[in-house]
Amino acid sequence: MKKVSVSILLPFFLVVIGDQLSKSYASEHASAILNYGVISGFLETAPEVYRRVFVSTVYGLLFFIFVFTQSILFRRSSKLSAALSIFFAGVTGNALDRILHGAAVDFIRVGNVMMNFADFAQWVGVFAASLILMLERDSIFHPNDARARFLIDSKFQLRIAAKFSFASLATAFISGIFSYTFILSTHSASNTNLSFFLIAYSTIALLFSLIVFLAALFITQKTAGPIYAFDRFIHALMKGEAKPLHLRSTDDFYYLEETAKKALETLSSAK
């Protein structure tokens, strides 16, 4: 728990707090400007409600991806976890501005571009993560591991991932009907608002379903992996070439390691 706090939570909160304090100071004492766009001016001229809905929803998707990615990587590389936290803290700083105030505060001039502390943190996070991935690639991805393949048991993993994805789409469909009906029932609803809602909601639902599908493939590795390893152990045992089975501590069916050990001991005593 201490390792998680230091590598993930500490850099995240330090960057977010530092970003908000620097923007507050710049707004009062420096020549700061308000940036109403999202990425390279995207949605800059759109109604404020659209920008806030877009930013808050996209941030929710990114938060899900961030948490899932950290749950996979923090055991493999605390440095990479810290770099990703710095990057996502920068995203969080600007998202908070646009959700709460409608615009981000830029006060750092780099050439002809205005930036802020959160933008700087994002670039630092991307650069650090890229460097760490190059230096620690083998320890993070285990390229020589027999289980390093994305799909260990494609039939099983794709079937489970499809079920997760379908459940996500079904939930989004029901929530969409409720939301659309609610908006349609309000006096402030307009054709433009409804069109924006339908396009944005459908895109987000499909994107989230795809993310859930990919996440399920990773999650099912913890189930398919030990079964795959145990199957190889049994085949090696039948040939008289079995070696001790070593599973990952996060695997499902971790007890199979002890079962394999007992099988080897029984076979050895029988000889």
Side-chain angles (χ1 to χ4, degrees):
M1 184 65 185
K2 185 177 180 181
K3 182 179 179 182
V4 176
S5 299
V6 172
S7 63
I8 299 178
L9 300 181
L10 183 61
F12 177 83
F13 284 111
L14 284 177
V15 171
V16 172
I17 293 173
D19 173 65
Q20 295 300 301
L21 289 176
S22 66
K23 287 174 178 174
S24 177
Y25 179 84
S27 297
E28 298 178 2
H29 301 90
S31 56
I33 64 170
L34 295 178
N35 182 358
Y36 292 95
V38 180
I39 301 174
S40 300
F42 178 61
L43 290 182
E44 186 173 5
T45 58
E48 184 176 327
V49 64
Y50 289 2
R51 292 198 305 271
R52 292 191 177 189
V53 170
F54 177 84
V55 171
S56 59
T57 306
V58 171
Y59 179 78
L61 286 174
L62 292 176
F63 180 78
F64 174 81
I65 296 172
F66 171 73
V67 172
F68 178 73
T69 303
Q70 290 287 28
S71 69
I72 296 175
L73 293 179
F74 85 90
R75 293 179 182 272
R76 303 183 184 183
S77 174
S78 57
K79 295 178 183 177
L80 182 58
S81 289
L84 291 177
S85 289
I86 291 172
F87 168 77
F88 191 70
V91 174
T92 300
N94 282 333
L96 284 174
D97 290 346
R98 291 186 170 97
I99 293 171
L100 298 177
H101 309 297
V105 178
D106 291 339
F107 58 92
I108 303 173
R109 180 173 293 279
V110 181
N112 296 324
V113 180
M114 292 294 289
M115 301 175 60
N116 54 45
F117 187 80
D119 295 328
F120 181 72
Q122 290 177 51
W123 283 108
V124 170
V126 169
F127 177 78
S130 301
L131 183 62
I132 293 167
L133 283 173
M134 287 190 294
L135 297 176
E136 301 183 3
R137 186 178 68 86
D138 290 349
S139 62
I140 294 174
F141 296 108
H142 309 293
N144 298 321
D145 192 338
R147 286 173 52 185
R149 300 196 309 269
F150 187 69
L151 291 176
I152 298 172
D153 185 339
S154 58
K155 222 177 194 180
F156 166 74
Q157 289 181 260
L158 289 172
R159 184 174 70 251
I160 298 300
K163 290 180 179 179
F164 271 91
S165 187
F166 175 78
S168 172
L169 281 175
T171 303
F173 180 72
I174 295 172
S175 300
I177 292 176
F178 170 80
S179 302
Y180 184 82
T181 306
F182 181 82
I183 295 174
L184 194 63
S185 301
T186 61
H187 296 291
S188 59
S190 65
N191 291 332
T192 303
N193 288 339
L194 291 175
S195 297
F196 173 79
F197 170 80
L198 286 174
I199 295 172
Y201 188 86
S202 300
T203 302
I204 291 167
L206 290 173
L207 179 60
F208 184 72
S209 178
L210 175 61
I211 293 172
V212 168
F213 182 84
L214 295 175
L217 292 180
F218 278 106
I219 293 172
T220 51
Q221 281 188 333
K222 294 182 179 182
T223 301
I227 296 176
Y228 168 80
F230 190 73
D231 181 67
R232 292 182 65 204
F233 169 81
I234 293 297
H235 280 82
L237 185 66
M238 293 167 60
K239 296 178 181 179
E241 302 172 354
K243 297 179 181 179
L245 176 66
H246 297 292
L247 300 178
R248 300 173 185 174
S249 59
T250 57
D251 277 342
D252 294 329
F253 308 117
Y254 188 72
Y255 66 87
L256 289 177
E257 184 174 305
E258 185 64 26
T259 302
K261 181 180 178 182
K262 290 180 179 178
L264 281 176
E265 291 174 351
T266 301
L267 184 63
S268 178
S269 61
K271 292 181 178 178

